[in-house]
């Protein structure tokens, strides 16, 4: 059972005061909301099904057949192909093999269930939810260029606004990429929230500062600060990111309350380096795994969870606003290996 | 670029080199290491299997077992196979005999198409003196058109776009309209930027085919993010099937991405990597040379690229003038400043060092080049009077203090620069007289 938006956020009460009329419609809307949700899960399952088609038969033939050296090798291949990476793959398969050989597990069904469990457990690290009880809660989005930061922020703002009815202020601290602020402005309009922008090339720290200052004076519930995409190896730009974070820290105690790193699901083993270096500079607290709607399986998220103890909190499975979803470790693990 | 892969392969190969003779087990061991290194570099699983099998066969076939110093032979074979994997000889763009040459850019969302479009426009303008127009056909991503308008203008290209209020925003229409316009304005090249699309999105893939059929491009380029994992092969195969692209632009190669996925693309589709995008700036875009890259990965350096970069910055007259000054011992801090500026124009020092044989991989990793140190040196020199720059021996006492204040440094730093420059001049004089300087002593003194 996939987690819902209300499970993802830690809030004070069932609904925030001052929510605009009808903003919670999609959750409370009875029949329509239910249909829509059914649609969401179907969409999630469908996009995950592509993964299954690629992995399902291979794993099935492997685990339900005669267990031998080749079983484990083929299983390793399948996980490597899903970008899980050599060391996480080796660890998961070794545990499974050990339990199978010792007689703890018998039969293809038990083996595949246990495999799903092992994969899900690997993904289950740290705090999986986002605490938005602080007023204002500051969420910072960081990541490499083109991983989908701005889009994720736009959709997150939409959900906070329309599913939870909280007020949101966006801060366009990506002052580097041409037209980044315009892109976020488009999202602010769709989500129905305000936005603070700075001139292109201006100091991103100043934009972050101004955003939080405005949020405090207006009594906004959640602030989401967008930052420019940068490669984790660009020391000067990473230094700038550290500075933006320090500006936020100094301005509001406890902020940023959440720092989300967007990782493109098509990313290979380099994703681990990205996560490590961003975690060092920006103290990342969660991962948003984007672009899961292609044929990529996003296995790198498992490696990141295992080696850096960073949980995935959100996944992106498509272009539309409903396609940003809370992450569910069991669904994710099942989708990695289940048959179609 | 490819650093981790380079590091691993170099470690494996230096191990192989140390053996006086090789057994089949030694080769098997090396192949296992190479296999793991390639997998960690995101080279596609199937490509790795094929690559290592072929490598082993060649190593065995080359009769290296039992021979003296077989390591060199193995290194050579790995180099050749790696070059082959990356595309053999370097390939280039095709140009239409009847302009405009039309280049269609395609790829996933976030792969870097719009940036690559602008960089390619700048490249063609600078290197081929072409008049270039770019067409903004990404009508889906918010503000994508604005982005191309901005970076296209920076690249010196004409940007053909329709603003959001235009009644006809069909990308196929815009592409045809842009082609007409490029023709009537006599452009040499039209680069068509398209929106990012998933290879499994049938509707958008069909749209891409319609754009291609409308503009009949001379070249179709697939932009691939160097950080892509195992999925790159699926993406490339789908795009190859739909639009038969002619070549690949590898983007974001400036990170520590190992670029293995992009290499797999060549292996699977047979289409060469034509360009590599290596930084945020528009000029950080270069032709991709598989042989040179293979050498860089194996730690053999890439002297050709280094020389080319140098040629772009230095002109012959300047070089002769410099030589004259060196011979007459007239080389002053002003000349030093010019040299420093020219070298820095060639790119970040760390990337230049990676091209020098013996550098790269492990060595580079342990050596953080502090560009700010160079900024300080420039500031110190700029705070000197012309006379002081010609005759640094004048710099004593109050002059030293003034320079330190002016450059925001301290007296020790000024002293250090003057001292090092004195030593450098001594070395240059020796070189000028045809003697080889003692590099070792020089390095020790420099610390």
């Amino acid at each position: 059972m996939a987690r819902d938006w209300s499970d993802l956020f830690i809030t004070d009460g069932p609904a925030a005061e001052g929510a605009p009329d009808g903003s919670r419609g999609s959750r409370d809307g009875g029949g329509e909301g239910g249909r829509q949700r059914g649609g969401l899960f179907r969409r999630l399952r469908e996009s995950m099904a592509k993964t299954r088609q690629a992995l399902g038969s291979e794993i099935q033939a492997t685990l339900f057949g005669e267990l031998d050296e080749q079983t484990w090798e083929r299983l390793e291949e399948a996980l490597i192909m899903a970008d899980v990476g050599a060391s996480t793959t080796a660890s998961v398969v070794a545990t499974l093999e050990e339990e199978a050989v010792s007689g703890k597990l018998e039969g293809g069904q038990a083996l595949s269930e246990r495999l799903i469990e092992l994969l899900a457990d690997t993904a289950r690290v740290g705090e999986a939810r986002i605490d938005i009880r602080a007023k204002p809660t500051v969420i910072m989005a960081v990541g490499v260029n083109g991983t989908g930061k701005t889009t994720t922020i736009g959709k997150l703002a939409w959900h906070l606004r329309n599913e939870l009815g909280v007020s949101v202020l966006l801060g366009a601290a990506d002052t580097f990429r041409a037209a980044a602020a315009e892109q976020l402005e488009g999202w602010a309009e769709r989500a129905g929230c305000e936005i603070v922008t700075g001139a292109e090339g201006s100091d991103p720290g100043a934009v972050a500062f101004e955003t939080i200052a405005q949020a405090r004076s207006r009594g906004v519930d959640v602030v989401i600060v967008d930052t420019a995409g940068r490669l984790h190896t660009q020391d000067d730009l990473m230094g700038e990111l550290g500075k933006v974070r320090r500006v936020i820290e100094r301005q509001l105690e406890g902020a940023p309350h959440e720092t989300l790193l967007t990782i493109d699901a098509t990313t290979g083993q380099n994703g681990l380096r990205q996560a490590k270096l961003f975690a060092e500079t920006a103290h990342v607290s969660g991962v948003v795994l984007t672009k899961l709607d292609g044929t990529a399986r996003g296995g790198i998220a498992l490696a990141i969870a295992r080696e850096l103890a960073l949980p995935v909190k959100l996944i992106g499975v498509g272009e539309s606003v409903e396609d940003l979803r809370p992450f569910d470790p069991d669904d994710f693990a099942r989708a990695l290996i289940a048959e179609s | 670029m490819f650093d981790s892969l380079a590091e691993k392969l170099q470690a494996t190969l230096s191990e192989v080199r140390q053996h006086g003779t090789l057994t089949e087990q030694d080769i098997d061991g090396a192949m296992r290491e190479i296999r793991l290194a390639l997998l960690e570099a995101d080279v596609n699983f199937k490509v790795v299997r094929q690559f290592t099998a072929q490598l082993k066969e060649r190593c065995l076939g080359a009769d290296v077992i039992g021979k003296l110093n077989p390591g060199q032979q193995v290194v050579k074979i790995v180099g050749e196979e790696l070059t082959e994997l990356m595309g053999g000889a370097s390939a280039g763009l095709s140009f239409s005999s009847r302009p405009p040459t039309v280049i269609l850019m395609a790829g996933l969302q976030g792969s870097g198409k719009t940036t690559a479009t602008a960089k390619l426009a700048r490249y063609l303008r600078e290197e081929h003196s072409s008049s270039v127009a770019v067409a903004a056909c990404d009508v889906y991503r918010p503000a994508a058109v604005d982005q191309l308008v901005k970076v296209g203008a920076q690249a010196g290209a004409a940007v053909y776009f329709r603003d959001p209020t235009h009644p006809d925003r069909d990308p196929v229409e815009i592409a045809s309209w842009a082609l007409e316009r490029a023709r009537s304005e006599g452009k040499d090249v039209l680069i068509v930027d398209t929106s990012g699309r998933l290879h499994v999105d049938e509707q958008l893939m069909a749209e891409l085919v319609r754009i291609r059929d409308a503009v009949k491009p001379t070249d179709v380029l697939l932009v691939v993010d160097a950080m892509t994992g195992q999925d790159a092969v699926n993406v490339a195969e789908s795009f190859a099937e739909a639009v038969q692209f002619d070549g690949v632009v590898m983007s974001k190669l400036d990170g520590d991405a190992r670029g293995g996925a992009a290499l797999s693309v060549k292996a699977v589709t047979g289409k060469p990597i034509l360009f590599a995008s290596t930084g945020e700036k528009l000029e950080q875009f270069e032709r991709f040379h598989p042989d040179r890259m293979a050498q860089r990965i194996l730690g053999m350096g890439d002297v050709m690229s280094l020389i080319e970069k140098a040629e772009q910055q230095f002109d012959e007259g300047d070089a002769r003038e410099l030589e004259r000054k060196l011979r007459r011992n007239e080389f002053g801090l002003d000349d030093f400043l010019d040299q420093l500026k020219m070298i820095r124009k060639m790119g970040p020092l760390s990337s230049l060092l990676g091209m020098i044989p013996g550098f790269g991989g492990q060595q580079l990793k342990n050596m953080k080049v502090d560009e700010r140190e160079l900024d300080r040196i420039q500031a110190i020199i700029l705070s000197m009077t012309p006379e002081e720059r010609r005759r640094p021996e004048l710099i004593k006492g109050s002059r030293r203090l003034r320079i330190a204040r002016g450059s925001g440094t301290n007296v020790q730093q000024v002293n250090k620069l003057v001292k090092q420059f004195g030593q450098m001049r001594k070395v240059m004089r020796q070189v000028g007289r045809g003697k080889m300087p003692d590099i070792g002593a020089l390095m020790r003194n420099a610390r």
Side-chain angles (χ1 to χ4, degrees), chain A residues 50 73 76-77 80-83 86-87 144-147 176-180 182-183 186-187 200 229-235 237 264 266-271 273-274 277 291 293-297 319, chain B residues 4 35-36 39-42 44-46 49 108-111 141-144 146-147 150-151 154 196 198-201 204 225 227-232 234-235 252-258 279-280 368:
Chain A
K50 285 163 203 143
E73 252 176 49
E76 277 173 1
E77 282 177 23
I80 292 272
M81 289 296 273
D83 289 319
S87 77
V144 168
N145 326 48
T147 48
F176 182 81
R177 178 161 63 98
E182 281 93 325
Q183 189 182 348
W187 274 110
E200 201 179 304
R230 67 202 76 217
L231 282 177
H232 49 293
T233 49
Q234 292 162 330
D235 292 338
L237 289 181
D264 183 331
T266 57
T267 309
Q269 297 314 298
N270 189 252
R273 296 281 305 154
Q274 290 177 26
L277 294 180
K291 307 187 197 175
D293 45 336
T295 45
R297 294 120 189 178
E319 300 265 342
Chain B
S4 303
R35 178 174 170 274
L36 204 61
L39 278 181
E40 278 181 16
D42 292 318
N44 184 266
F45 193 81
K46 288 171 188 150
R49 201 150 49 183
L108 298 179
Q109 290 95 336
S111 55
R141 180 162 63 94
D146 296 342
Q147 189 187 348
K150 282 179 189 163
V151 290
Q154 281 166 21
L198 270 178
H199 53 296
V200 291
D201 188 327
L204 282 180
D225 183 331
M227 295 182 288
T228 315
Q230 298 285 327
D231 197 44
N234 298 327
V235 174
K252 306 181 201 169
L253 248 185
D254 46 331
D256 50 3
R258 306 157 198 186
E280 300 259 329
K368 200 105 205 163

Side-chain angles (χ1 to χ4, degrees), chain A residues 82-101:
Chain A
D83 289 319
V84 173
S87 77
T88 305
T89 295
S91 138
V92 168
V93 174
T95 310
L96 193 70
E97 183 180 358
E98 201 178 297
E99 293 182 7
V101 170

Side-chain angles (χ1 to χ4, degrees), chain A residues 62-82:
Chain A
T62 301
L63 291 182
F64 284 78
E66 197 71 32
L67 298 187
D68 54 20
E69 198 53 38
Q70 282 209 333
T71 305
W72 314 116
E73 252 176 49
R74 256 185 267 142
L75 191 55
E76 277 173 1
E77 282 177 23
L79 292 178
I80 292 272
M81 289 296 273

